[in-house]
Structures are given as C-alpha cells and as structure tokens.
Amino acid sequence: MTSRTEPSLDRSDPRGLVDALAAALKTRIFARELPPGSKLPSESELAADYDVSRTVVREAVSRLRAAGLVDTMQGRGSYVLTVTQPDEADDPFPIRGWADLVHLMELRVAIESEAAGLAAERRTSAQLAAISRALEGFSRVSGHPERLVEADFAYHAAIADASGNPFLAGLVDAIGPRAFMLHRTQLAAGSDAADAVHLQLLSYEHGAVRDAIARGDAQSARAAMSVHLRRSLAALGKGPRG
C-alpha cells in the first residue's frame, strides 16, 4: 500500500499558487498515492489541506484535466485517469473528446474479440488461472468504484496476454487504464460504475468470456467478448454527457 505524504506546497514557485498546487497533486498521482480511478479529495478538502482558496483549487484541477491526468464527472468530483507522465510518453491513442473515445472502443472490439478467440486456442493453465484471478479481483472490488478501473483493465490485459500474441497484448497495454476511466466518464445513464445491476451484468459478461476460453471454444470466446464490448460502445450513447 502506498503511504500517504503530508500535503505540502512550494509557495516559492515563481509561477504562482495554481501551478504549485497542480505540481503537488501531480506528485501524488505519479507516486500512485492517488492511483488511476481514485477520486481526488473534494475542493474544500484540498483548500484546507494546502491552505489555499477554492479558486486556486479549481484552477489547479483544471490544469490537471487539461494535461489528461484527471477527468471531472458532473456532480461527482474529479477522478485520476493516468499515472504516466505526459512528457515521458508518446501516447499512441490521444483522446481529445467523445469521438476519439468511440473510435478507441471500436478498436477494442476488433482487437480484444480476436484476443479472446486466440486465448481460447492457445492459453496455458497458468494463463487461465490468471484470467480467473483477475475475474475474482473484479468481483471483490464491486463495492469500491474507485478500484474498479484497474480491476477491469487487469482482466482484459490477462486475456490479451493469454492470446499468445505479444503485439495484441502490447496494444491492450498501450490503451491502458486511462481509456477505461475515460470511457466510464461518458457512459449513458444506467451504466455507471456505482450501479449494482450494471456491475452484475459486467461480471456475467466477463464470466462468459472466461468460461469460453476455459472450454477452448474460440468462436464463443470471440462472440462473448464482442457482445461485452459492443454493449459498452452502445452505452456511450450519441454524444458526451453534459
């Protein structure tokens, strides 16, 4: 478990308090004190922790959002999207808006459906066990929405690894948990991470893919993954949530 550092702010930063607070929050994100999918402390909590105004907090969070590090869900707060420093990564899948997110989901349908089929044909017993552990991990965090993104990504990554194709596995890894989090920020009503019926359906769909892989049924594995991802694609609706 990552230990929590005491909030601190470099008030000598010549750029001002907004940039100093943004830098402090980035440090906590990159240190995984605030992991992908976790919720930022509230505006009032950050203002009290760092002894700054709420206006400074709003501007600092806006900087993080512009950098692709957090996204704000209306009425629910801001959530961490990635722990990869932007200046250290050449993002192959830049997501600048809803249309890019749809395109990325279409890519996932294509590559992950094939990955599931190949996994059914090629998986080892150890890889099947890894998929099952990831599925169990997803079920365990169902009551903790802030941990759901990483658990969901771990499940899909385990299937990609079991495909035996390192290029497919590399593509899924490159897409990363950030895209999973971004996807969740734009889901239509009734498809929210906190919705019990939605989570039950996700678990069922995940289980159907795992079971087909376990049986060695490539056609069913492809179909089950396609159904799962296409439903997520449809849940994006006709445009971004306002």
Side-chain angles (χ1 to χ4, degrees), residues 1-4 31-33:
M1 178 180 296
T2 304
S3 60
R4 191 188 190 285
R32 296 185 68 85
E33 181 186 320

Side-chain angles (χ1 to χ4, degrees), residues 41-54 57-58:
S42 69
E43 191 176 282
S44 58
E45 288 172 330
L46 288 173
D49 283 348
Y50 291 95
D51 191 22
V52 296
S53 71
R54 294 178 68 163
V57 173
R58 283 193 292 272

Side-chain angles (χ1 to χ4, degrees), residues 2-228:
T2 304
S3 60
R4 191 188 190 285
T5 57
E6 287 299 316
S8 61
L9 199 64
D10 180 6
R11 295 180 180 273
S12 66
D13 192 322
R15 299 171 299 174
L17 287 177
V18 170
D19 281 294
L21 178 56
L25 293 174
K26 284 180 183 178
T27 296
R28 293 174 65 181
I29 290 171
F30 297 150
R32 296 185 68 85
E33 181 186 320
L34 295 169
S38 67
K39 186 178 181 180
L40 287 182
S42 69
E43 191 176 282
S44 58
E45 288 172 330
L46 288 173
D49 283 348
Y50 291 95
D51 191 22
V52 296
S53 71
R54 294 178 68 163
T55 299
V56 168
V57 173
R58 283 193 292 272
E59 287 296 319
V61 172
S62 179
R63 301 282 174 87
L64 298 180
R65 190 163 55 245
L69 293 173
V70 304
D71 194 39
T72 300
M73 302 184 192
Q74 187 175 10
R76 293 169 54 198
S78 296
Y79 291 78
V80 177
L81 300 180
T82 180
V83 294
T84 302
Q85 299 218 35
D87 58 358
E88 292 182 350
D90 182 15
D91 189 354
F93 304 111
I95 301 173
R96 302 180 182 89
W98 173 81
D100 287 338
L101 190 55
V102 169
H103 295 156
L104 189 59
M105 277 302 303
E106 291 171 344
L107 175 65
R108 288 188 59 200
V109 171
I111 65 173
E112 293 194 50
S113 297
E114 181 61 16
L118 292 175
E121 297 171 345
R122 301 172 177 175
R123 57 84 179 168
T124 65
S125 57
Q127 288 169 333
L128 179 60
I131 294 171
S132 296
R133 285 195 301 272
L135 181 60
E136 292 167 3
F138 182 86
S139 298
R140 283 197 300 270
V141 303
S142 60
H144 305 276
E146 74 281 0
R147 296 167 57 192
L148 203 64
V149 169
E150 284 191 296
D152 194 11
F153 176 72
Y155 168 79
H156 285 269
I159 291 174
D161 180 66
S163 74
N165 185 322
F167 293 158
L168 275 177
L171 272 174
V172 172
D173 186 62
I175 289 170
R178 177 172 64 100
F180 284 64
M181 183 65 205
L182 279 166
H183 173 75
R184 291 196 179 282
T185 69
Q186 299 297 335
L187 289 179
S191 301
D192 189 84
D195 184 84
V197 175
H198 174 63
L199 288 175
Q200 186 177 21
L201 182 55
L202 282 179
S203 293
Y204 173 80
E205 291 173 346
H206 283 179
V209 177
R210 189 276 313 274
D211 291 348
I213 292 173
R215 295 194 306 270
D217 187 340
Q219 183 175 352
S220 293
R222 288 186 180 94
M225 181 63 83
S226 179
V227 167
H228 169 54

Side-chain angles (χ1 to χ4, degrees), residues 222-241:
R222 288 186 180 94
M225 181 63 83
S226 179
V227 167
H228 169 54
L229 294 177
R230 287 184 184 280
R231 189 179 65 80
S232 293
L233 178 59
L236 285 172
K238 296 182 180 179
R241 283 168 53 166

